[in-house]
Amino acid sequence: MTTAVLAVQGAFAEHEAKLAELGEKVVELRQAADLGQPFDRLVLPGGESTTQGKLLAELGMLEALRERIAAGMPTLATCAGLILLARRLDAHDDKGTPRLATLDVLVQRNAYGRQLGSFHTNLQLKGLGEVPATFIRAPFVMEAGANVDVLATHEGRIVAVRQGGQIGLAFHPELDADPRVHELFLSL
Ligand code: GLN
């Protein structure tokens, strides 16, 4: 099987390394022509969601990816990726920047403020048990729709969700040695 990693901006190389370690074939999506390669799954990395959304629209990739995700293609979205997938953003954050908007959640960006912007912790993730989690200027899920399964919370806030093939994480499993989150994704 082949996983496409969105590689227009952000921390895509870390996901690629993790997937390669697990024996997965990886292709990069940098321009619309890359969508013509065969791939079965998608990773949306962390980075800057506003930049990523604008680039996806400008490069002509937004609609095609939205259709495939909505049709059930397994998709792992971390941090900025979660923001791109969210159907709704907190009004304060929503500047009308293009997004994929396929995941039925309401998300707040930079939810931990500047002081506590980045931290490392362990979380109980449904189906996996305790996993390490690195948060970097992370968003969190304020509301999850009825079809959305909450996979993990941190101090009462939803930080991991799944809806069908879409897994949305506020943290960065690609930055820790533990491979189980990527293994879970590859098992979908
Ligand atoms: N704060 C970033 C955003 O709003 C996300 C941070 C990250 O991906 N590590 O897009």
Side-chain angles (χ1 to χ4, degrees):
M1 300 271 255
T2 302
T3 297
V5 177
L6 181 66
V8 295
Q9 191 273 339
F12 52 87
E14 291 82 350
H15 278 287
E16 292 172 4
K18 192 64 114 187
L19 292 164
E21 259 171 50
L22 296 173
E24 178 76 351
K25 183 167 187 269
V26 174
V27 296
E28 290 188 341
L29 302 181
R30 292 178 178 269
Q31 53 188 353
D34 296 334
L35 296 170
Q37 311 167 85
F39 60 90
D40 312 288
R41 303 183 258 254
L42 174 68
V43 169
L44 301 171
E48 185 49 57
S49 57
T50 311
T51 308
Q52 293 180 358
K54 280 183 189 154
L55 285 170
L56 277 178
E58 280 168 19
L59 294 166
M61 296 201 276
L62 194 69
E63 300 300 331
L65 287 179
R66 182 186 289 137
E67 271 173 32
R68 292 195 57 177
I69 297 167
M73 175 173 61
T75 301
L76 176 66
T78 58
C79 208
L82 167 63
I83 298 167
L84 280 185
L85 273 194
R87 193 158 289 166
R88 291 180 300 141
L89 287 192
D90 187 40
H92 179 76
D93 295 325
D94 194 356
K95 309 283 191 285
T97 308
R99 279 178 301 110
L100 292 158
T102 49
L103 179 65
D104 188 15
V105 291
L106 170 64
V107 161
Q108 183 179 329
R109 290 180 67 193
N110 299 318
Y112 296 88
R114 281 170 198 273
Q115 301 303 320
L116 276 175
S118 303
F119 58 96
H120 188 269
T121 186
N122 290 314
L123 297 173
Q124 288 296 326
L125 200 122
K126 198 168 167 180
L128 291 185
E130 191 167 276
V131 296
T134 301
F135 290 77
I136 303 171
R137 294 184 303 108
F140 84 108
V141 174
M142 300 170 79
E143 288 172 29
N147 303 332
V148 176
D149 196 12
V150 173
L151 300 182
T153 59
H154 176 253
E155 294 180 351
R157 291 171 154 184
I158 300 170
V159 293
V161 294
R162 176 171 172 190
Q163 179 184 348
Q166 302 178 73
I167 297 178
L169 307 175
F171 55 93
H172 289 268
E174 76 281 11
L175 298 182
D176 282 294
D178 193 316
R180 286 174 299 151
V181 172
H182 285 79
E183 285 172 350
L184 172 71
F185 166 59
L186 294 179
S187 77
L188 296 183

